Amino acid sequence: MMHPLRRTVGYALRIIIFGACCLGIWSSLELARADYLFKQDTEASIRSAIRLAPDGWDYYMRLAQFDQAHAQELLTNSLSLNRYDAQADIELGLQYEADGDFGRAEKQLLQAYEVDHTYLPRWSLANYYFRRDNMPAFWAWARSAADMPADDIGSLFELCWRASPDPSKITAAILNEKPEMLRQYIRFLLATDQPGAVANVAPHLVRTSNPEADLGLLFGVVNRLIAVNDASAANALWHLLIEKRWVNADQTIPNNANFQRGPLPVSFDWSIPEYQGLHSWPGSSGLETEFTGSQPEDCLIAEQAVTLKPGNYSMSFSYRTSGIPPGTGIRWQVLDARSNAVLAESPDLSSEELKYSGMGFMVPPGASLLRLRLTYRRTLGTMHISGTLDVQSTQIQPLPKS
């Protein structure tokens, strides 16, 4: 038979365990209720959540957004419960700054960085020193922020722009070799119409990133440089992409001279528009174009930007046509990209047999960026053509100096 004292102790232990379980269940329900109230995200509901869970540090921080009159006290409470909440440090620092207590503001923002070395504390310090007109400290923290970029740091570049609208100074101050920073900076420079600065930054991205991540962006840079007639910078970046094997391209002029691969989406490869009644496609036999008779009277068949030094050149090409009579308006043209002036124009293309033809032209000083075009413009007095054109090869070569 069990001793009475032992039986009493057993009952007592069961009661204690039952009570502890009930207390745990009650606490869990209280915490669940507090979390539910917090997610209602109103001032009243958050205050109720704090009454149920007074050690919820994030509750005090959120309440500070509603109760600005007591924000400093609430943020201080939050930090007393979680010493490592950098966001609360930043918010408290901003409160001190708004009250003119700049010493405590700076100390609190530096405290945020001590506990969190990510982008936000660095960005907050750069902002603070910019507002205090402390430019050396601003640039130091701007560079620090750029060293730890977030998904979107456009606001950092905008702040740098406000500090100095000189893109070369900004580049020298914050540039690093992190692809995630470089691609954002390039997009910012493109958006603010700074193609010259982009040309200096883009090679860094080529050296530090890969084609899968950034080839499309760098094609956009090349196209923008061509659009502003910066032939030297566009050509340098294009050849860097070829050298680093980012693109499958040729060193010939023009690139993809025989049309044997699909064009790249860049102006240094062929642009082949489509129109109603006119369809073109590159392939193993060259560029094949079909005219149905309903194409526009004046249209572009193919175009490519090329860069050439001043001097004399010859362009050779081979082609055949089917069903297209002579003198009906298909021609090669070489144009000055800046002025759109025609520097050379071939005779009309028409030959039922494979024909090798060509033309000479001169590139004057200041016209190193050119556009090579294959066009159709209906000749007056002729019907819209209907037939096919097959261009098998093209080539531009310098002529020997006399």
Side-chain angles (χ1 to χ4, degrees), residues 18 96 230 259 281 359 390 399 401:
F18 178 75
Y96 289 145
D230 192 340
F259 301 93
W281 56 94
M359 61 180 178
D390 181 6
L399 293 176
K401 295 182 179 178

Side-chain angles (χ1 to χ4, degrees), residues 309-347:
K309 296 178 180 179
N312 295 309
Y313 294 84
S314 68
M315 177 187 175
S316 59
F317 52 92
S318 61
Y319 73 96
R320 66 161 53 91
T321 60
S322 175
I324 297 176
T328 48
I330 302 176
R331 300 183 183 95
W332 281 106
Q333 293 180 328
V334 178
L335 299 91
D336 177 356
R338 187 183 300 273
S339 66
N340 223 33
V342 177
L343 302 180
E345 188 170 64
S346 73

Side-chain angles (χ1 to χ4, degrees), residues 128-396:
Y128 172 77
Y129 288 118
F130 176 82
R131 293 191 297 270
R132 300 304 305 145
D133 199 28
N134 184 341
M135 289 298 105
F138 162 73
W139 286 114
W141 283 104
R143 181 173 183 83
S144 178
D147 284 339
M148 182 62 71
D151 292 337
D152 183 2
I153 59 173
S155 54
L156 173 65
F157 303 137
E158 291 172 4
L159 194 62
C160 291
W161 196 260
R162 289 172 60 190
S164 171
D166 181 356
S168 61
K169 180 175 181 177
I170 298 173
T171 299
I174 68 172
L175 190 67
N176 60 46
E177 297 299 304
K178 290 182 169 61
E180 58 270 29
M181 180 271 183
L182 291 168
R183 67 175 63 98
Q184 291 192 59
Y185 189 37
I186 287 172
R187 291 190 182 103
F188 172 80
L189 291 171
L190 289 172
T192 54
D193 197 24
Q194 298 294 327
V198 174
N200 294 328
V201 176
H204 292 267
L205 189 59
V206 178
R207 290 192 289 269
T208 59
S209 187
N210 59 77
E212 290 74 19
D214 291 307
L215 183 57
L217 175 61
L218 291 172
F219 278 163
V221 173
V222 172
N223 290 339
R224 178 67 69 87
L225 293 170
I226 290 173
V228 299
N229 294 300
D230 192 340
S232 176
N235 196 51
L237 180 56
W238 172 243
H239 282 90
L240 180 62
L241 292 172
I242 297 174
E243 175 190 336
K244 297 300 183 181
R245 302 184 185 278
W246 278 48
V247 296
N248 177 22
D250 313 311
Q251 298 285 359
T252 59
I253 302 177
N255 174 47
N256 196 7
N258 298 332
F259 301 93
Q260 292 188 351
R261 52 178 170 75
L264 299 168
V266 64
S267 297
F268 282 136
D269 206 337
W270 296 107
S271 170
I272 305 175
E274 289 283 331
Y275 305 91
Q276 181 179 354
L278 186 154
H279 306 284
S280 301
W281 56 94
S284 58
S285 60
L287 179 67
E288 299 179 48
T289 301
E290 179 184 16
F291 302 86
T292 67
S294 61
Q295 68 273 359
E297 292 192 352
D298 188 350
C299 55
L300 180 67
I301 302 170
E303 179 181 69
Q304 183 178 143
V306 297
T307 57
L308 296 172
K309 296 178 180 179
N312 295 309
Y313 294 84
S314 68
M315 177 187 175
S316 59
F317 52 92
S318 61
Y319 73 96
R320 66 161 53 91
T321 60
S322 175
I324 297 176
T328 48
I330 302 176
R331 300 183 183 95
W332 281 106
Q333 293 180 328
V334 178
L335 299 91
D336 177 356
R338 187 183 300 273
S339 66
N340 223 33
V342 177
L343 302 180
E345 188 170 64
S346 73
D348 287 6
L349 276 60
S350 176
S351 175
E352 296 290 327
E353 303 294 330
L354 182 63
K355 182 175 181 178
Y356 294 85
S357 186
M359 61 180 178
F361 62 96
M362 183 187 74
V363 178
S368 58
L369 183 60
L370 308 172
R371 296 193 182 278
L372 176 61
R373 285 180 179 172
L374 179 60
T375 68
Y376 167 68
R377 176 178 293 177
R378 185 180 67 84
T379 303
L380 291 176
T382 65
M383 302 289 291
H384 282 77
I385 60 175
S386 178
T388 60
L389 165 69
D390 181 6
V391 178
Q392 295 194 358
S393 65
T394 61
Q395 186 178 31
I396 294 177

